[in-house]
Amino acid sequence: MIISSATDFREAARRALPPFLFHYLDGGAGAEQTLRANVDDLQAVKLRQRVLRGSEQLDLAVDWFGEHYGLPIALAPIGLAGMYARRGEVQAVRAACHRKIPFIQSTVSVCPLAEVAAQASRPIWFQLYVLKDREFMRDVMRRAWELGAKTLVFTVDMPVPGARYRDAHSGMSGPNGPLRRIAQAMLCPRWAWDVGLHGRPHDLGNISTYRGHATGLADYIGWLGSNFDPDIGWQDLQWIRDEWKGTLIIKGILDPDDARDAIAFGADGIVVSNHGGRQLDGALSTAQALPSIAEAVKGKLTIFADGGVRTGTDVFRMLAMGADGVLIGRAFVYALATQGQAGVERLLAIMEKDLRTNMVLTGAKSVREIGPHLLAR
Ligand SMILES: Cc1cc2nc3c(=O)[nH]c(=O)nc-3n(C[C@H](O)[C@H](O)[C@H](O)COP(=O)(O)O)c2cc1C
């Protein structure tokens, strides 16, 4: 099939993946209203066309926390990305390094930190969940630091896992899950050969490193499910700010008051995010939430945003609404599932081209010039 956009990659991924994996990626919480709103509200943001502004020389580079990046984009942390392509996190980090953008490795990646860091030509960013097992948190933070990660993305919007109804239907969870997953894999021979057989081991690499032994994915997901910590407040986490000597970004902010609390906590950045519509169904879309958060804290810390970003135009929209950088989640995994590292590089090239076109059509010469004055009112 012809691939010219993230939408095409999504369709190709749907055809290539066992349904339980496609729906785990594609789905969201509850009735998926927030998931849909992320996409729809972002696409509804109107841009201000300007003409004859002479912007052939375009600068798409950004500086975050004293480091230089090639595009205002980062690959979002995605749990189990290693199930979508052979050693998926390794392929994704190579693509990110090739394009000089951050790869944010999830706590619940398939490949362990050491395997990914060994393949990265730039420091990876590491994402951490709040878990009851504080010893695990300390241990994995120490390992990330020793492997060169200087940026910790601390996700706070998952004190409990959201209700993912699609997973019960697809076989990701629910009755006879293991049997249904094997049956589905057998009907996807390319995936079964490439990832099912040659992409092993299939476990949560950071957790098996910590526990010192490998067992099945289901065992780790059980460990994780019972380890989220709903009984947690900012004050319980101050030790993380005190112990982490690098950059600290709080991911999962959707309210200006929480953004102010993140500043009080000592964060260097936030990600305006509702976890891709996978947690509180009925929460604001990020396109709705971002402008008021930017108004409250712009310039006081670095603002990233994610949720529903499928095109370079969407990246532009997030920047115009006040983000300093944009994370892409599902879009890059659709590409990874379809063409591995080459697919992610291709998606980034498509997004870069979109972004350039939009900059010419709005008269912005550098991504730093993109701001609310380029929104049509
Ligand atoms: C399959 C999947 C797994 C995810 N795993 C994590 C994770 O491990 N840690 C995290 O902070 N966010 C996780 N997220 C949320 C993403 O980092 C990001 O916030 C979200 O995907 C952005 O929305 P988008 O997919 O519409 O771009 C996950 C999202 C998806 C779709």
Side-chain angles (χ1 to χ4, degrees):
M1 67 178 279
I2 294 169
I3 291 188
S4 65
S5 66
T7 310
D8 297 333
F9 273 122
R10 176 179 180 273
E11 177 55 23
R14 195 184 61 74
R15 295 183 195 183
L17 290 167
F20 76 92
L21 281 178
F22 175 74
H23 289 295
Y24 177 67
L25 173 64
D26 199 60
E32 302 189 341
Q33 288 176 347
T34 298
L35 167 62
R36 280 192 298 279
N38 276 350
V39 174
D40 295 346
D41 293 349
L42 188 57
Q43 285 180 3
V45 173
K46 298 285 182 280
L47 301 173
R48 187 170 164 214
Q49 174 176 302
R50 302 297 310 276
V51 295
L52 302 175
R53 311 277 297 172
S55 41
E56 203 192 20
Q57 292 294 323
L58 301 175
D59 182 5
L60 276 74
V62 281
D63 291 308
W64 295 321
F65 319 115
E67 298 291 329
H68 199 62
Y69 296 93
L71 292 170
I73 296 174
L75 300 190
I78 299 286
L80 300 184
M83 296 302 288
Y84 289 87
R86 187 189 297 195
R87 310 314 282 160
E89 289 94 1
V90 167
Q91 296 204 56
V93 80
R94 286 196 193 127
C97 291
H98 180 73
R99 298 304 315 234
K100 299 191 175 59
I101 65 167
F103 170 76
I104 311 174
Q105 183 168 351
S106 167
T107 306
V108 289
S109 54
V110 169
C111 302
L113 273 160
E115 181 181 350
V116 176
Q119 297 294 323
S121 56
R122 304 165 64 90
I124 53 169
W125 294 14
F126 179 61
Q127 176 266 324
L128 183 65
Y129 275 124
V130 184
L131 297 169
K132 285 182 191 153
D133 187 341
R134 300 294 147 82
E135 268 322 298
F136 169 75
M137 290 175 75
R138 279 205 164 82
D139 182 78
V140 78
M141 278 165 67
R142 180 185 51 73
R143 270 186 284 129
W145 183 264
E146 286 170 6
L147 288 163
K150 296 290 170 276
T151 306
L152 187 71
V153 176
F154 188 38
T155 300
V156 294
D157 60 3
M158 211 197 243
V160 287
R164 316 264 171 83
Y165 300 148
R166 271 208 227 188
D167 289 349
H169 288 277
S170 70
M172 184 72 181
S173 60
N176 301 321
L179 271 179
R180 293 168 67 197
R181 293 197 289 272
I182 290 170
Q184 290 177 16
M186 281 163 58
L187 295 173
C188 296
R190 196 188 69 127
W191 181 90
W193 172 261
D194 191 35
V195 189
L197 198 62
H198 295 286
R200 290 176 175 277
H202 295 158
D203 57 14
L204 302 180
N206 296 321
I207 295 166
S208 59
T209 307
Y210 171 65
R211 293 172 105 197
H213 60 89
T215 44
L217 202 54
D219 179 54
Y220 289 119
I221 292 181
W223 177 85
L224 190 72
S226 59
N227 232 306
F228 285 111
D229 192 350
D231 190 27
I232 195 92
W234 289 104
Q235 67 287 354
D236 303 309
L237 296 171
Q238 199 56 49
W239 64 269
I240 293 195
R241 176 64 290 185
D242 298 340
E243 284 186 21
W244 182 259
K245 299 299 170 218
T247 301
L248 183 63
I249 299 172
I250 306 287
K251 176 171 182 283
I253 299 291
L254 212 56
D255 189 283
D257 284 342
D258 286 341
R260 291 188 193 97
D261 285 346
I263 295 179
F265 180 70
D268 304 293
I270 52 171
V271 184
V272 176
S273 176
N274 51 33
H275 217 99
R278 295 165 77 81
Q279 287 295 98
L280 180 62
D281 193 34
L284 287 183
S285 68
T286 45
Q288 285 177 319
L290 175 58
S292 56
I293 294 176
E295 202 178 300
V297 299
K298 183 82 179 172
K300 297 182 182 148
L301 40 54
T302 305
I303 304 173
F304 297 88
D306 73 16
V309 176
R310 305 289 181 262
T311 63
T313 306
D314 294 337
V315 173
F316 189 108
R317 289 176 166 125
M318 286 294 200
L319 297 175
M321 287 188 291
D324 302 301
V326 177
L327 272 51
I328 55 172
R330 292 180 181 83
F332 99 77
V333 188
Y334 297 139
L336 182 71
T338 309
Q339 296 174 353
Q341 177 184 345
V344 181
E345 287 177 20
R346 191 157 162 209
L347 176 75
L348 290 168
I350 293 169
M351 287 188 160
E352 177 184 349
K353 191 159 175 266
D354 276 358
L355 192 52
R356 284 183 181 279
T357 304
N358 289 318
M359 287 168 72
V360 173
L361 294 174
T362 54
K365 294 186 178 56
S366 99
V367 288
R368 288 178 303 282
E369 278 177 30
I370 302 172
H373 64 289
L374 294 180
L375 295 172
R377 300 202 188 268

